[in-house]
Amino acid sequence: MISSEIGKEVIKKELSLVPKLPGVYRMLNEKNEILYVGKAKNLPNRLKSYVSEKNHIIRTERMLSQTRKLEITTTSNESEALLLEANLIKKFKPKFNILLRDDKSFPFIFISNKDKWPQIKRHRGKKTKEGFYFGPFASAGSANWTIKMIQKIFHLRVCDDTVFKNRERPCILYQIKRCSGPCVGYVEKNDYQQTVDDAIEFVSGKSRKIQKNLSSQMEKASEELDFEKAVILRDRIKALNIIQSSQRINEANLVEADVIAGYKESGKTCIQVFFYRSKQNWGNQAFFPKHDPDEKLGDILNSFVSQFYENKSVPSAIILSEEIKEKVLIEKTLTQKEGKQINISVAKKGSKLKVVNQAIKNAKDSLNRKLYESQNNRELFDEVAKKFNLETNINLIEVYDNSHIQGTNSVGALIAYGDEGFIKKRYRKFNIKHKKNEQDDYGMMREVLNRRFKRAVQEKDNYLTFPDLVLVDGGKGQYSVARESLNELGLHDIPIIAIAKGKFRNSGNETFFHNGKEYKFSKNDPTLFFLQRIRDESHRFAISAHRAKRKKGISKSLLDQIEGIGAIRKRALLNHFGSARSVESASLDEIKSVEGVEEKVAKKIYNFFHE
C-alpha cells in the first residue's frame, strides 16, 4: 500500500516558511535526488493542494510517498518561474516530470555580414557571430539541401577562411559552377555582395523578386553586349526556376510558424514539430517525451512547449493540435523572452487544420514505429525471460518457420536476432531433403532442427553457435517436436517457445507455448510486438526462400531430368518443337530428325516420356 503521508508531513513543516511569491519547488527523496520540479504563481497555495486534497492520482501518491525534503526558489514573476522550471527539468530529469528526452539544437544557415567575401555555412549552437541566421531546419540534410541550392543559383563560397586565404587557383566548385571564385579574384566585390544580398532575400522567401531582378540584369548585360555575364545570369534564372518548382510551399501559407501535434497510444506519445519559414516547409522532427502512462495529451503538449523553447528561438506563431492549460502564461513568457509578439493557437478549421492533421498522421506513424523499436533489445530480452520464467540471460534468439504449397518446394527458414537487431549473416534456409517430410509440418520442423543443431553439436566447420532461445512458428505440436529434437541432441537447457496465431489467424491474439503452459499477452504489450516482429521476419524469409525455389522449379524443363541431355541438345529440341510438352508427344522418327540428336539419344528421350 502506497502511503503519501510522509511527503505531506514534509510539506506541512515547510509551509509556514514559504513566501507568498511565484517560484519553483523541488521534491527530493532520501538520497537527495530530485523527484519532481513544479512552478507556481503563489507557492504556498500550490503546496497546500498536496496536503489538503485526499484523492491524488497514483503518480502523485507515489511521488509523495518518496518525498523526504522540499526546496524552494522564488522568482520575480510567473514567467520567470516557467523558464526556471523548464531549465531544471532538462538539467535534472526528475522521475515524476514529463521529460523532453530528445532535446537538441537544430541547424541554421548562417551568412556573415562582416566579412569582405561572406561565406555561407551550416550553424548549430549559440548565435554569437554577427550576420544572418535562417532556420531552424529539422535536420542537417535539410539545411545542406538549401545551401546546395543557394550555391547553384548564387555561387557563394562555402570554404572556411583558412582555405579561402591560401588558394592560388579556384577549386572544383568553380569548375562545376557552384562558386564564383572570389578566392582568386574572378568576381568583383560589388557583384559578389549583390549575390549575397540576393541569397538572403531568396532564403527569406522572396524568390519571385530575385527572379525579376536577375531577368533585368540579364537584359541589361545583353544590351551592353556583355554576353558572358548574360549567360551566367541566364543559368541562374534556369536554376531558380527548377528550385521553385521543387520547393515545398505549404498549403496554409505559413510565413513563420511551428506546427506541433501529438499522438498518444498505449501509454506512449509522439510529438511532431514541423518548421515553416518563408512560406516553406523546412522539415519536421519527432519527439518521444517520457511521462506517466495516464498523463493526458494536453498536459504533455503543455510541458513539451515550455521545455522545447527554453533554449531555442521562437517563431511568431505556434500552432497546436490540442488546447493547453497554460497557453496564456507560455505565450506571455515567450513574448518577453524573444522581444516580439508570440501567438499560440489551436487549428480548428481550414488549411491550418489540414497541416495539423498531416502532422498528427506523422506522429501516429512515428509512434507505431517507435512501439516496435523504442525499448532497447536488452530490455526486450529481459521482458521475454521474465514473462516465460526463463533462467538464462537472452542475448541471441533463433526463429524457425517452414513454407510450402501442398507439400511442394518445401523450405525451412532460420533467422537470428541479437543485441543489435537482426543478424543477416546467421540467416539460413533448408531445402527439405526427405520426401516424407515435404507434406508433414512436424517432419519438416524435425529435419530443420536436426540439421541445424547436429552440426553445432559436432562442431563442424562454419557451424553456428547455440542461441539462448529458440522461437518456432506453430502450436503445441510444433513445440513438442522442437523440444524432442533438441533433447535427442542433449540440448535440454536451450528454452523453446512456440507462437500460434490461433483459429482466426488474427495478429494480436497469439497464444504462446512453453514448458507445458500457455501464455497470452495484452494487445498493446511491447514484448508481444517484439515477438510478432521477429516471427514475421522469419515468415518473410521462409516465403522468399520458397518463392525462389518454386520459381527455379517452374523455369526448369522436363528435358533437364533426362540423363545425357545437355544445354546444346536441349536448345536444339526446344527450337525444333517449341516446348518440352511437344517433345513428349513427338514420335521417335520426329525426335531423330532434330539436328545433333542421334538415334541412341533419341531413343533415350522417347523412352523417358513413354515408359
Side-chain angles (χ1 to χ4, degrees), residues 409-427:
N409 301 303
S410 301
V411 174
L414 151 65
I415 67 113
Y417 195 93
D419 289 334
E420 296 182 3
F422 292 108
I423 309 172
K424 297 294 178 74
K425 66 181 181 181
R426 288 184 67 104
Y427 282 24

Side-chain angles (χ1 to χ4, degrees), residues 36-242:
Y36 182 78
V37 175
K39 67 173 182 317
K41 187 176 182 179
N42 185 306
L43 283 166
N45 289 350
R46 177 71 186 95
L47 292 170
K48 278 177 189 174
S49 67
Y50 287 108
V51 178
S52 59
E53 290 180 17
K54 293 183 179 179
N55 297 316
H56 290 295
I57 60 173
I58 294 174
R59 180 172 63 92
T60 305
E61 290 284 336
R62 291 205 325 266
M63 179 183 72
L64 289 171
S65 71
Q66 297 175 36
T67 299
R68 298 293 182 273
K69 189 177 178 182
L70 184 69
E71 291 182 346
I72 300 294
T73 303
T74 59
T75 58
S76 56
N77 54 57
E78 196 178 3
S79 293
E80 192 179 314
L82 177 73
L83 291 173
L84 178 59
E85 178 197 39
N87 182 274
L88 291 174
I89 289 172
K90 284 185 177 182
K91 184 177 180 180
F92 294 108
K93 298 178 173 55
K95 182 179 178 180
F96 291 97
N97 279 101
I98 296 169
L99 301 178
L100 174 55
R101 294 181 295 179
D102 302 72
D103 183 41
K104 62 181 180 180
S105 63
F106 291 97
F108 282 73
I109 288 176
F110 172 69
I111 301 176
S112 169
N113 64 353
K114 286 294 183 183
D115 296 337
K116 182 180 178 181
W117 305 97
Q119 168 200 13
I120 181 171
K121 64 178 181 178
R122 198 176 76 230
H123 174 83
R124 280 187 192 267
K126 292 182 180 179
K127 299 169 185 173
T128 52
K129 290 186 178 180
E130 197 173 329
F132 299 92
Y133 292 88
F134 304 97
F137 290 84
S139 65
S142 188
N144 289 341
W145 182 87
T146 305
I147 290 174
K148 186 179 176 182
M149 294 306 102
I150 291 171
Q151 281 182 271
K152 219 173 206 178
I153 302 167
F154 303 106
H155 302 179
L156 300 189
R157 75 176 180 97
V158 292
C159 56
D160 60 39
D161 291 339
T162 305
V163 173
F164 179 79
K165 290 173 183 176
N166 291 291
R167 288 211 71 89
E168 295 179 357
R169 58 190 180 88
C171 66
I172 193 171
L173 291 176
Y174 175 80
Q175 308 295 335
I176 61 173
K177 298 182 180 179
R178 294 289 187 275
C179 181
S180 54
C183 55
V184 288
Y186 283 7
V187 60
E188 294 292 331
K189 173 72 177 67
N190 292 338
D191 290 342
Y192 187 81
Q193 187 58 52
Q194 181 61 51
T195 59
V196 170
D197 295 339
D198 288 346
I200 292 169
E201 294 218 312
F202 169 76
V203 184
S204 303
K206 300 175 182 177
S207 55
R208 298 295 174 191
K209 180 183 174 183
I210 300 301
Q211 188 174 21
K212 193 174 179 181
N213 289 342
L214 289 174
S215 296
S216 299
Q217 291 175 40
M218 183 180 70
E219 288 175 9
K220 185 181 177 183
S222 297
E223 288 170 4
E224 294 174 354
L225 304 180
D226 189 351
F227 298 118
E228 187 176 344
K229 186 177 181 180
V231 167
I232 293 170
L233 291 166
R234 182 203 64 192
D235 290 343
R236 287 184 182 178
I237 293 168
K238 199 180 287 184
L240 186 59
N241 284 327
I242 293 169

Side-chain angles (χ1 to χ4, degrees), residues 211-433:
Q211 188 174 21
K212 193 174 179 181
N213 289 342
L214 289 174
S215 296
S216 299
Q217 291 175 40
M218 183 180 70
E219 288 175 9
K220 185 181 177 183
S222 297
E223 288 170 4
E224 294 174 354
L225 304 180
D226 189 351
F227 298 118
E228 187 176 344
K229 186 177 181 180
V231 167
I232 293 170
L233 291 166
R234 182 203 64 192
D235 290 343
R236 287 184 182 178
I237 293 168
K238 199 180 287 184
L240 186 59
N241 284 327
I242 293 169
I243 290 160
Q244 281 175 340
S245 65
S246 64
Q247 272 181 336
R248 297 159 286 180
I249 303 299
N250 69 83
E251 185 182 358
N253 203 31
L254 300 173
V255 178
E256 185 188 33
D258 285 350
V259 173
I260 303 177
Y263 181 82
K264 184 171 182 277
E265 184 183 324
S266 305
K268 303 284 186 181
T269 301
C270 174
I271 293 176
Q272 281 274 357
V273 182
F274 279 72
F275 304 101
Y276 290 94
R277 301 293 186 272
S278 306
K279 299 183 181 181
Q280 300 169 37
N281 179 355
W282 283 3
N284 60 294
Q285 188 71 254
F287 297 88
F288 300 91
K290 181 185 175 185
H291 58 81
D292 193 82
D294 298 323
E295 205 77 62
K296 292 179 181 177
L297 181 56
D299 293 337
I300 296 167
L301 271 175
N302 189 97
S303 185
F304 175 87
V305 172
S306 62
Q307 291 182 51
F308 184 72
Y309 291 112
E310 184 266 335
N311 63 346
K312 294 180 182 66
S313 58
V314 189
S316 301
I318 300 170
I319 303 169
L320 305 176
S321 60
E322 299 267 335
E323 294 283 358
I324 58 174
K325 62 184 179 183
E326 294 182 322
K327 171 185 172 298
V328 176
L329 172 61
I330 295 174
E331 211 172 45
K332 178 184 173 184
T333 303
L334 296 180
T335 296
Q336 291 174 353
K337 174 178 175 283
E338 294 295 311
K340 65 179 182 181
Q341 183 59 45
I342 307 296
N343 294 308
I344 299 175
S345 62
V346 177
K348 293 181 179 177
K349 62 180 180 179
S351 57
K352 287 184 181 178
L353 182 59
K354 286 184 180 179
V355 170
V356 167
N357 285 338
Q358 182 62 32
I360 291 173
K361 183 181 181 300
N362 275 266
K364 182 178 180 180
D365 292 342
S366 296
L367 183 60
N368 286 336
R369 288 193 296 270
K370 190 72 173 177
L371 287 172
Y372 285 96
E373 300 168 2
S374 61
Q375 295 190 41
N376 62 48
N377 293 329
R378 173 49 42 214
E379 290 174 338
L380 288 168
F381 288 159
D382 290 345
E383 286 300 316
V384 171
K386 184 179 176 183
K387 176 72 175 179
F388 296 99
N389 298 314
L390 305 179
E391 295 180 0
T392 55
N393 289 326
I394 301 173
N395 295 299
L396 177 66
I397 299 176
E398 286 186 357
V399 191
Y400 292 85
D401 192 15
N402 300 321
S403 184
H404 64 94
I405 294 178
Q406 296 180 342
T408 61
N409 301 303
S410 301
V411 174
L414 151 65
I415 67 113
Y417 195 93
D419 289 334
E420 296 182 3
F422 292 108
I423 309 172
K424 297 294 178 74
K425 66 181 181 181
R426 288 184 67 104
Y427 282 24
R428 297 290 186 275
K429 61 181 179 181
F430 301 84
N431 292 319
I432 302 303
K433 293 179 178 179

Side-chain angles (χ1 to χ4, degrees), residues 388 390 469-480 482-483 495-502 509-521 531:
F388 296 99
L390 305 179
L469 173 66
V470 167
L471 184 68
V472 296
D473 187 25
K476 283 183 180 179
Q478 276 84 357
Y479 175 85
S480 297
R483 187 71 273 167
I496 299 171
I497 296 170
I499 174 172
K501 274 191 176 178
N509 194 33
E510 284 86 352
T511 303
F512 294 81
F513 301 91
H514 170 67
N515 211 17
K517 295 180 182 179
E518 293 186 12
Y519 297 82
K520 284 277 192 180
F521 287 87
L531 293 171

